[in-house]
Amino acid sequence: MFKFKLQFLFLAAASIFSYLPASAQQPAKKIKYLSQPLISAIYTADPSAHVFNGKIYIYPSHDIDAGIPENDMGDHFAMRDYHILSLDRIGGPVTDHGVALDIKNIPWAGRQLWAPDAAYKNGTYFLYFPLKNKQDIFQIGVATAKTPAGPFKAQPQPIPGSFSIDPAVFVDDDGSAYMYFGGIWGGQLQRWKDGKYDANGSKTDLQQDDAPSINCKVVKLKNNMLEFSGKVSDALIVDSAGHPLPGKDHDRRFFEGSWMHKYNGKYYFTYSTGDTHYLAYAIGKSPLGPFTYAGHFMQPVQGWTTHHSIVKFKGKWYIFYHDTELSGKTHLRNVKVTELHHNPDGTIRMINTFWVEK
Ligand code: FUB
């Protein structure tokens, strides 16, 4: 899953000069970043941001160095707890609220607490998290708290009918809540055919280039926010002619890390293309899709890929994302934020998060 093509290019660019004799060295090239890490005391990734009580709360993964070798299934992402961050204003100080949920307090836990999200309803905050169960199969759990920073108490079992990774919960203007979830390769989505897990299924994607690609999943949540209401369906992405994107279209097809925001009455489904390292978007008339592919809006970051969220705060739109500026290592990431701009025609302005200065 997490090969380090771009990271390698970056490290090569940054370090090649230090191996040359001083006389042969060219003027040092400097990597410049669009934004700075929001915190540096711990490594954080997969930032899901929400505005609660007039503040921004960020629900990130907490990256650690577990000493597990890197592989395409993401075993090196062996996270064990969550810390919640908050800030009163963009650019202001960031508070780390400490451990909000620990894997040792989740009764069904196997390993790997991956990208979480949060939501609020009727006086309760909900933290949604992907975690491998004791059979090493990813499912999605939920924990509750009375305050946005927790601590959160996990439900004794995963959400019935849940699978794969990267839950993103969107609450529409009418109060209806939807969960988008799924990720291929290490996220195991390709192993879920006909609602059943196939341990012998492909390790990456379907490996059928001309067949429709695997879609992210979407499901309405019950009013209690703890259970799925009805059937899980595909958050289908189609091209401008209405055809599903094929499996071979790695530049455009869904990989993982979905998010939903509503802009001018339209539903913007955003996601990572994974092995091609872009953030892409597709627009629909309903939160359930289908969504028409509209383009890329973030160029590859430093690191294998990024994971984002989009939120409106004090009249402006922001994107929270991660890269590996602090560590230079794929599995030790840091969260960042920058402004996101919608163009007058409804497209999203392209973001480039780093460049090499001559
Ligand atoms: O943090 C672990 C995984 O890496 C997330 O679940 C994916 O979205 C990717 O960011």
Side-chain angles (χ1 to χ4, degrees), residues 285-325:
K285 292 187 188 137
S286 151
L288 296 170
F291 303 101
T292 304
Y293 181 81
H296 295 150
F297 68 100
M298 187 179 271
Q299 294 288 351
V301 301
Q302 180 199 323
W304 194 79
T305 188
T306 196
H307 180 123
H308 76 293
S309 62
I310 294 170
V311 67
K312 193 175 186 185
F313 185 58
K314 299 189 176 164
K316 289 183 171 181
W317 287 94
Y318 293 95
I319 177 166
F320 289 76
Y321 65 101
H322 68 232
D323 66 16
T324 57
E325 178 181 345

Side-chain angles (χ1 to χ4, degrees), residues 236-278:
L236 180 66
I237 303 170
V238 295
D239 63 17
S240 53
H243 302 129
L245 301 179
K248 66 182 168 203
D249 194 349
H250 289 213
D251 273 348
R252 301 197 294 174
R253 60 96 169 89
F254 168 80
F255 187 102
E256 64 182 10
S258 62
W259 191 258
M260 171 58 64
H261 77 280
K262 197 173 181 180
Y263 179 75
N264 277 352
K266 292 189 178 149
Y267 295 87
Y268 282 64
F269 176 71
T270 49
Y271 58 96
S272 168
T273 64
D275 58 335
T276 49
H277 318 289
Y278 296 107

Side-chain angles (χ1 to χ4, degrees), residues 138-178:
F138 268 118
Q139 287 195 270
I140 296 168
V142 54
T144 57
K146 287 292 166 197
T147 55
F152 283 84
K153 185 170 169 41
Q155 297 289 300
Q157 296 295 332
I159 298 175
S162 69
F163 54 94
S164 195
I165 59 167
D166 290 0
V169 173
F170 166 73
V171 181
D172 207 346
D173 301 331
D174 66 357
S176 303
Y178 302 85

Side-chain angles (χ1 to χ4, degrees), residues 48 50 52 59-61 82 101 108 113-121 124-131 139-144 152 155 159 162 165-171 177-181 221-228:
S48 293
H50 291 273
F52 293 134
Y59 299 82
S61 299
Y82 293 116
L101 180 64
W108 56 276
L113 278 174
W114 281 15
D117 192 21
Y120 169 81
K121 197 168 224 178
T124 301
Y125 294 87
F126 299 86
L127 178 69
Y128 300 93
F129 56 90
L131 172 67
Q139 287 195 270
I140 296 168
V142 54
T144 57
F152 283 84
Q155 297 289 300
I159 298 175
S162 69
I165 59 167
D166 290 0
V169 173
F170 166 73
V171 181
Y178 302 85
M179 180 187 287
Y180 302 84
F181 65 92
L221 295 179
K222 284 191 181 167
N223 202 36
N224 66 12
M225 300 291 273
L226 300 171
E227 294 165 277
F228 291 169

Side-chain angles (χ1 to χ4, degrees), residues 10 12-32 355-358:
F10 163 77
S15 64
I16 191 164
F17 297 102
S18 59
Y19 291 103
L20 296 172
S23 57
Q25 284 184 18
Q26 303 293 316
K29 292 194 176 182
K30 248 190 136 196
I31 306 295
K32 298 288 257 184
W355 57 95
V356 180
E357 211 170 59
K358 294 192 184 111

